[in-house]
Amino acid sequence: MSLSISAQLRQNFYANSCSNVEAIVRGEVAKKFSQTFVTVPATLRLFFHDCFVQGCDASVMIASTGSNKAEKDHPDNLSLAGDGFDTVIKAKAAVDAVPSCRNKVSCADILALATRDVIAMSGGPSYAVELGRLDGLSSTAASVNGKLPHPTFNLNQLNSLFAANGLSQTDMIALSAAHTLGFSHCDKFSNRIYNFSRQNAVDPTLNKDYATQLQQMCPRNVDPRIAINMDPNTPRTFDNVYFQNLQKGQGLFTSDQVLFTDTRSRPTVDAWASNSQAFNQAFITAMSKLGRLGVKTGRNGNIRRNCAAFN
């Protein structure tokens, strides 16, 4: 990623064109948040899934057409909750309803702002968002292949995927803590509670009581759409309890628990489990780096009138 691109991002990018864009977006996000808490994890996850595939350009929001299967229809994106898309679409409509702002603000920037807002609304840190992204001009399901982390990943796989995006192990551990919010589905971790290996039906790194609980919530032939909280203790609060859970063997995915079981990442987990301020700071740093990925400027992008379709 060239520095010239990220240098074009700046905090007051819309000062002259749409000066109250942040307040407009925040107002819409707050409205949506009051309707359903899913707004929070759905928006945060949408931002991550967008940025890791072709950069933060809202390409994940494009709807498929007869001639193009878009990013959102790749298997890795089918579990993105509709509330994230809806949050951005409603905020975009509110921004475009202000005559001076119409067609001035990208869907990519609105998604970045909405993500910051949902984190703050659920108890997390607030931070200044750099703006100036354009919306991407392509979105294909094929482009998603191998770009997103899987629940079964070990530390080497996580580190190399994040390193490919210029993110360090520390950034990766901080961003993994997004799993302090929201939910997953039984089929994403059933291997850990029923057929882990020849020697162990249950993953030995799982807390035994927690494993029993998960088996009760996810019996063998359960509807795979049953939702299970990622954080069994404070699922609606953005906090460092995620790391305390890992210390107790309560990471839902292999890719969560490995952050504690692997001695290379454990010191960071331990540090943040006891120091929420240090974690919040690392999270802000990681989110800012994430938001600079593959930013489109100039002829490489435009401002979409409809976030779900190319102009």
PDB file of all heavy atoms in Angstrom, residues 118-133:
ATOM      1  N   VAL A 118     -20.732   2.496  16.350  1.00  0.00           N
ATOM      2  CA  VAL A 118     -21.297   1.320  17.045  1.00  0.00           C
ATOM      3  C   VAL A 118     -20.361   0.843  18.145  1.00  0.00           C
ATOM      4  O   VAL A 118     -20.820   0.370  19.191  1.00  0.00           O
ATOM      5  CB  VAL A 118     -21.645   0.138  16.094  1.00  0.00           C
ATOM      6  CG1 VAL A 118     -22.763   0.527  15.131  1.00  0.00           C
ATOM      7  CG2 VAL A 118     -20.435  -0.417  15.353  1.00  0.00           C
ATOM      8  N   ILE A 119     -19.055   0.969  17.924  1.00  0.00           N
ATOM      9  CA  ILE A 119     -18.093   0.576  18.959  1.00  0.00           C
ATOM     10  C   ILE A 119     -18.288   1.447  20.199  1.00  0.00           C
ATOM     11  O   ILE A 119     -18.373   0.948  21.327  1.00  0.00           O
ATOM     12  CB  ILE A 119     -16.652   0.678  18.424  1.00  0.00           C
ATOM     13  CG1 ILE A 119     -16.396  -0.408  17.376  1.00  0.00           C
ATOM     14  CG2 ILE A 119     -15.631   0.564  19.557  1.00  0.00           C
ATOM     15  CD1 ILE A 119     -15.159  -0.174  16.526  1.00  0.00           C
ATOM     16  N   ALA A 120     -18.391   2.757  19.978  1.00  0.00           N
ATOM     17  CA  ALA A 120     -18.578   3.679  21.105  1.00  0.00           C
ATOM     18  C   ALA A 120     -19.922   3.441  21.808  1.00  0.00           C
ATOM     19  O   ALA A 120     -20.000   3.469  23.035  1.00  0.00           O
ATOM     20  CB  ALA A 120     -18.484   5.121  20.616  1.00  0.00           C
ATOM     21  N   MET A 121     -20.978   3.178  21.018  1.00  0.00           N
ATOM     22  CA  MET A 121     -22.311   2.982  21.609  1.00  0.00           C
ATOM     23  C   MET A 121     -22.402   1.717  22.455  1.00  0.00           C
ATOM     24  O   MET A 121     -23.259   1.607  23.320  1.00  0.00           O
ATOM     25  CB  MET A 121     -23.383   2.949  20.509  1.00  0.00           C
ATOM     26  CG  MET A 121     -23.702   4.335  19.965  1.00  0.00           C
ATOM     27  SD  MET A 121     -24.790   4.259  18.508  1.00  0.00           S
ATOM     28  CE  MET A 121     -24.431   5.865  17.782  1.00  0.00           C
ATOM     29  N   SER A 122     -21.509   0.768  22.202  1.00  0.00           N
ATOM     30  CA  SER A 122     -21.551  -0.474  22.982  1.00  0.00           C
ATOM     31  C   SER A 122     -20.490  -0.489  24.082  1.00  0.00           C
ATOM     32  O   SER A 122     -20.169  -1.537  24.627  1.00  0.00           O
ATOM     33  CB  SER A 122     -21.378  -1.681  22.062  1.00  0.00           C
ATOM     34  OG  SER A 122     -20.202  -1.557  21.303  1.00  0.00           O
ATOM     35  N   GLY A 123     -19.944   0.696  24.406  1.00  0.00           N
ATOM     36  CA  GLY A 123     -19.021   0.784  25.541  1.00  0.00           C
ATOM     37  C   GLY A 123     -17.555   0.816  25.181  1.00  0.00           C
ATOM     38  O   GLY A 123     -16.696   0.874  26.057  1.00  0.00           O
ATOM     39  N   GLY A 124     -17.256   0.766  23.881  1.00  0.00           N
ATOM     40  CA  GLY A 124     -15.863   0.781  23.461  1.00  0.00           C
ATOM     41  C   GLY A 124     -15.320   2.189  23.343  1.00  0.00           C
ATOM     42  O   GLY A 124     -16.037   3.164  23.583  1.00  0.00           O
ATOM     43  N   PRO A 125     -14.056   2.309  22.959  1.00  0.00           N
ATOM     44  CA  PRO A 125     -13.431   3.625  22.847  1.00  0.00           C
ATOM     45  C   PRO A 125     -13.932   4.363  21.611  1.00  0.00           C
ATOM     46  O   PRO A 125     -14.280   3.736  20.611  1.00  0.00           O
ATOM     47  CB  PRO A 125     -11.945   3.290  22.691  1.00  0.00           C
ATOM     48  CG  PRO A 125     -11.932   1.948  22.021  1.00  0.00           C
ATOM     49  CD  PRO A 125     -13.136   1.217  22.561  1.00  0.00           C
ATOM     50  N   SER A 126     -13.972   5.685  21.688  1.00  0.00           N
ATOM     51  CA  SER A 126     -14.264   6.465  20.489  1.00  0.00           C
ATOM     52  C   SER A 126     -12.942   6.963  19.943  1.00  0.00           C
ATOM     53  O   SER A 126     -11.962   7.066  20.673  1.00  0.00           O
ATOM     54  CB  SER A 126     -15.197   7.632  20.803  1.00  0.00           C
ATOM     55  OG  SER A 126     -15.698   8.154  19.587  1.00  0.00           O
ATOM     56  N   TYR A 127     -12.896   7.243  18.661  1.00  0.00           N
ATOM     57  CA  TYR A 127     -11.645   7.691  18.056  1.00  0.00           C
ATOM     58  C   TYR A 127     -11.978   8.512  16.813  1.00  0.00           C
ATOM     59  O   TYR A 127     -13.088   8.433  16.273  1.00  0.00           O
ATOM     60  CB  TYR A 127     -10.751   6.498  17.683  1.00  0.00           C
ATOM     61  CG  TYR A 127     -11.444   5.429  16.857  1.00  0.00           C
ATOM     62  CD1 TYR A 127     -11.405   5.471  15.461  1.00  0.00           C
ATOM     63  CD2 TYR A 127     -12.150   4.391  17.470  1.00  0.00           C
ATOM     64  CE1 TYR A 127     -12.058   4.507  14.706  1.00  0.00           C
ATOM     65  CE2 TYR A 127     -12.800   3.421  16.722  1.00  0.00           C
ATOM     66  CZ  TYR A 127     -12.750   3.479  15.333  1.00  0.00           C
ATOM     67  OH  TYR A 127     -13.400   2.525  14.585  1.00  0.00           O
ATOM     68  N   ALA A 128     -11.026   9.310  16.374  1.00  0.00           N
ATOM     69  CA  ALA A 128     -11.221  10.117  15.174  1.00  0.00           C
ATOM     70  C   ALA A 128     -11.064   9.228  13.947  1.00  0.00           C
ATOM     71  O   ALA A 128     -10.158   8.403  13.893  1.00  0.00           O
ATOM     72  CB  ALA A 128     -10.196  11.243  15.131  1.00  0.00           C
ATOM     73  N   VAL A 129     -11.979   9.374  12.989  1.00  0.00           N
ATOM     74  CA  VAL A 129     -11.929   8.556  11.773  1.00  0.00           C
ATOM     75  C   VAL A 129     -11.359   9.381  10.621  1.00  0.00           C
ATOM     76  O   VAL A 129     -11.819  10.488  10.358  1.00  0.00           O
ATOM     77  CB  VAL A 129     -13.338   8.051  11.383  1.00  0.00           C
ATOM     78  CG1 VAL A 129     -13.296   7.262  10.080  1.00  0.00           C
ATOM     79  CG2 VAL A 129     -13.912   7.180  12.497  1.00  0.00           C
ATOM     80  N   GLU A 130     -10.362   8.819   9.965  1.00  0.00           N
ATOM     81  CA  GLU A 130      -9.815   9.466   8.770  1.00  0.00           C
ATOM     82  C   GLU A 130     -10.777   9.213   7.615  1.00  0.00           C
ATOM     83  O   GLU A 130     -11.297   8.104   7.467  1.00  0.00           O
ATOM     84  CB  GLU A 130      -8.444   8.870   8.431  1.00  0.00           C
ATOM     85  CG  GLU A 130      -7.416   9.077   9.536  1.00  0.00           C
ATOM     86  CD  GLU A 130      -6.159   8.255   9.335  1.00  0.00           C
ATOM     87  OE1 GLU A 130      -6.215   7.176   8.719  1.00  0.00           O
ATOM     88  OE2 GLU A 130      -5.105   8.710   9.813  1.00  0.00           O
ATOM     89  N   LEU A 131     -11.016  10.251   6.804  1.00  0.00           N
ATOM     90  CA  LEU A 131     -11.985  10.148   5.719  1.00  0.00           C
ATOM     91  C   LEU A 131     -11.373  10.537   4.381  1.00  0.00           C
ATOM     92  O   LEU A 131     -10.296  11.108   4.325  1.00  0.00           O
ATOM     93  CB  LEU A 131     -13.198  11.038   6.033  1.00  0.00           C
ATOM     94  CG  LEU A 131     -13.936  10.679   7.338  1.00  0.00           C
ATOM     95  CD1 LEU A 131     -14.888  11.797   7.740  1.00  0.00           C
ATOM     96  CD2 LEU A 131     -14.684   9.366   7.172  1.00  0.00           C
ATOM     97  N   GLY A 132     -12.089  10.223   3.313  1.00  0.00           N
ATOM     98  CA  GLY A 132     -11.609  10.551   1.972  1.00  0.00           C
ATOM     99  C   GLY A 132     -11.527   9.338   1.055  1.00  0.00           C
ATOM    100  O   GLY A 132     -10.933   9.401  -0.019  1.00  0.00           O
ATOM    101  N   ARG A 133     -12.149   8.210   1.475  1.00  0.00           N
ATOM    102  CA  ARG A 133     -12.171   7.009   0.633  1.00  0.00           C
ATOM    103  C   ARG A 133     -13.197   7.181  -0.486  1.00  0.00           C
ATOM    104  O   ARG A 133     -14.254   7.758  -0.259  1.00  0.00           O
ATOM    105  CB  ARG A 133     -12.604   5.779   1.455  1.00  0.00           C
ATOM    106  CG  ARG A 133     -11.732   5.440   2.633  1.00  0.00           C
ATOM    107  CD  ARG A 133     -12.440   4.448   3.588  1.00  0.00           C
ATOM    108  NE  ARG A 133     -11.663   4.302   4.811  1.00  0.00           N
ATOM    109  CZ  ARG A 133     -11.675   5.194   5.809  1.00  0.00           C
ATOM    110  NH1 ARG A 133     -12.456   6.259   5.742  1.00  0.00           N
ATOM    111  NH2 ARG A 133     -10.920   5.008   6.865  1.00  0.00           N
TER     112      ARG A 133
END
